[in-house]
């Protein structure tokens, strides 16, 4: 792989010649771009010797290669790794600043971005750094470390750049993974639908869409093309998906149906409202016109997942594979949760359902974690979690991706 190694001015920069050597030994081509501060901490000659390439750090110097240096390097790279990534470089990347050669090339680089942060614990813990890291991770950046240990300032804590050996291992492990969904299209729904009562009021629910976004990211990670049909989200749409916005249940059904034929797999994580007003009042309904009590009449929304199941059964098609989510209140009783999951699975005619008991701590809406049962129509049951929503999403997709329905079916053209 062609790796652009960005070195910024953390003390761990002195370890980067070893990192370059290890990356090359693992079979990668490496070109290095540095900040000026990095060159206070590591010798340019050492980096040029181990990489066999000129080290680039000036935006406006005579060009080493033909063309526009930062654009050429950005296009050349199949992966950008910043090690060490200082708080300063992380902040610049989060803001999209390009005020030196390294940040200019990174801003122009479409390749996946990996960061191996290295800094003092207090800088790592600072809310600004936390927010900048979270923003980059949401855009698809991956983190290696930082590790806990002795820091250059003499203290001990989290902030140490991972050792070069571990950085190379993490990259190798990621790229050696079986991209089981390569060539497949996964349609994921996420977020809370809104059913408008009038021009300023709506019915909705507390879903943030975090689980759906985690499923979308996990599908990308397994090599899939991802269509994310999303209603209202409390988190950002991840980079790399085809995003389609649908506010209400009816709009979401329309969006899902118009993309269904492209999908090998549909994962319905959206918290779709079950009831809606039969019509939306055109303006704002005034209190004086309503009086003390507003008696609302609500009608059922279309059940999107059940509709997909019905259509598939009627047509005899085997695709798309359908996976639903079920938020249940089972009072912590696993058997009851399984019974409810199985009932919903057969009612909606889907292939699998991930059921969680929202009365169990760590499961369900809005939080960072989840746990539950992945129940297949063929009888298999896999408990998933507890873990972060990313971990649970990734375990869920790995199970689903190895189902006969996915493995046996040839990819769609
Ligand atoms: N779902 C859907 N369309 C709806 C309601 C739900 O496609 N109108 C999907 C959800 O995205 C989820 C699954 O159906 O994948 C189960 O949703 P859930 O709210 O647990 O079930 P409901 O069908 O609403 O049943 P109930 O609320 O009675 O448990």
């Amino acid at each position: 792989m062609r790796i652009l190694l960005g070195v910024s001015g953390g003390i761990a920069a002195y370890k980067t010649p070893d990192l370059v050597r290890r990356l090359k030994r693992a079979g990668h081509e490496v070109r290095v771009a540095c900040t000026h501060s990095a060159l206070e901490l590591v010798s340019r000659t050492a980096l040029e010797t181990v990489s066999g390439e000129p080290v680039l750090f000036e935006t406006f110097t005579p060009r080493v290669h033909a063309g526009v240096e930062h654009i050429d390097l950005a296009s050349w790279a199949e992966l950008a790794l910043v090690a060490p990534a200082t708080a300063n470089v992380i902040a610049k990347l989060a803001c999209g600043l390009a005020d030196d050669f390294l940040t200019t090339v990174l801003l122009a680089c479409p390749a996946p971005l990996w960061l191996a942060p290295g800094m003092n614990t207090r800088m790592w813990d600072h809310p600004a750094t936390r927010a900048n890291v979270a923003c980059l991770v949401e855009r698809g950046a991956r983190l290696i470390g930082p590790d806990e240990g002795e820091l250059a300032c003499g203290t001990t804590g989290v902030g140490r750049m991972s050792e070069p050996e571990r950085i190379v291992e993490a990259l190798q492990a990621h790229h050696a993974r079986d991209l089981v969904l390569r060539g497949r299209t996964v349609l994921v729904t996420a977020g809370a639908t809104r059913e408008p009562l009038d021009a300023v009021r709506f019915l909705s629910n507390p879903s943030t869409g975090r689980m759906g976004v985690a499923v979308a990211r996990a599908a990308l990670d397994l090599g899939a093309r991802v269509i994310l049909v999303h209603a209202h989200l409390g988190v950002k749409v991840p980079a790399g998906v085809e995003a389609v916005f649908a506010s209400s249940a009816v709009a979401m059904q329309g969006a899902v149906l118009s993309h269904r034929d492209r999908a090998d797999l549909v994962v319905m994580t959206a918290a779709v409202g079950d009831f809606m007003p039969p019509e939306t009042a055109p303006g704002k309904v005034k209190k004086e016109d309503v009086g003390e009590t507003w008696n609302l009449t609500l009608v059922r929304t279309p059940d999107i997942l059940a509709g997909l199941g019905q259509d598939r059964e009627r047509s005899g098609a085997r695709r798309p594979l359908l996976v639903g989510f079920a938020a249940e209140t089972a009072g912590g009783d696993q058997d009851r949760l399984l019974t409810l999951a199985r009932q919903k699975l057969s009612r909606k005619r889907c292939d699998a359902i991930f059921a969680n008991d929202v009365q169990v701590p760590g499961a369900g809406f809005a939080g960072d974690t989840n746990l539950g049962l992945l129940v297949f129509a063929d009888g298999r049951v896999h408990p998933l979690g507890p873990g972060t929503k990313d971990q649970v999403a990734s375990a869920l997709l790995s199970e689903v991706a190895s189902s006969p329905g996915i493995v046996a079916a040839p990819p769609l053209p």
Side-chain angles (χ1 to χ4, degrees), residues 268 270 272-274 301-305 324-327 344 347-348:
M268 283 287 309
V272 186
D274 292 319
T301 55
D303 189 321
I304 306 169
L305 182 58
F325 269 63
K344 203 166 272 184
R347 200 166 68 238
K348 305 220 178 200

Side-chain angles (χ1 to χ4, degrees), residues 189-191 193 195 249-250 252-253 256 267-275 300-308 323-329 340 344 347-348 350 352-356 365:
T189 65
T193 58
E195 310 306 331
V250 169
M252 181 169 277
Q253 185 187 42
V256 167
V267 186
M268 283 287 309
T269 43
V272 186
D274 292 319
F275 293 93
R300 289 276 287 269
T301 55
D303 189 321
I304 306 169
L305 182 58
L308 294 177
V323 178
F325 269 63
E328 304 292 354
T329 48
L340 292 170
K344 203 166 272 184
R347 200 166 68 238
K348 305 220 178 200
C350 48
I353 204 149
F354 177 70
N356 54 22
F365 287 134

